[in-house]
Amino acid sequence: MCFSANASFTAGVALTAIGIATIKKVQHPRQLLFASIPFLFGIQQIIEDFLWITLPRPGSIVIQTALTHLFLFFAQVVWPVMAPVSVLMLEKKGAGGRGLLKILVATGVCVSSFLAWCLLFNHVSAQIDGAHISYRQNYPDALRDVGGILYVIATVAPSFFSNQKKMWLLGSSILFSYIISQIFYTHYIISVWCFFAAVISVSVYFITDQIRQTAIANSVNRSILITPS
């Protein structure tokens, strides 16, 4: 993230470990994408840690460019799709809210496609600015504001339409972190929000564990009901 290389590396390693622990909680393939969120955030933070290391070195321009594109790929292309899809996959067929989640998936695909195009065909760069990393993106101004709003909708809103317990807390926390980043870290919002969202994604572990515990409890209850008295 945009505070220091050590903090970024520590967050990355911790989230990767938590991500592995979360994935081990998975009981059904449809839970895997959601459970992978902390792990992927961990990888993203480690990528930014390497950016911290290479940016001060003028001879590492090729590596810097590759790492910048890779970080922005996670931030702008992966998350707008992964957030709504991973939540949708947790919902049972016929559950209320699936229709809205499908609309959010479509929104995420549109945002991701647009940002992928921007990333491929426009100049991007990263630089250390004091105690922060600033990402410079020469994207079309005409769609920047609309794209930003749709990005937030695609990544935050799915949590509010899920039937999983406590999922709304995840969405509320990420939305709050976005607001804080926008107010206090306007010029570094991509890096700062990704860090806050990464830390908050630790709650994915507890949500996944709760889903597992609920499934176990339901299984036990069914066994009791069908056991002859």
Side-chain angles (χ1 to χ4, degrees), residues 157-174:
S159 298
F160 295 102
F161 296 103
S162 173
N163 290 301
Q164 302 298 330
K165 295 179 180 179
K166 304 295 178 66
M167 185 71 80
W168 66 272
L169 289 173
L170 175 63
S172 298
S173 300
I174 294 177

Side-chain angles (χ1 to χ4, degrees), residues 35-46:
S36 300
I37 289 175
F39 179 82
L40 293 178
F41 264 126
I43 298 299
Q44 184 180 351
Q45 292 304 307
I46 290 173

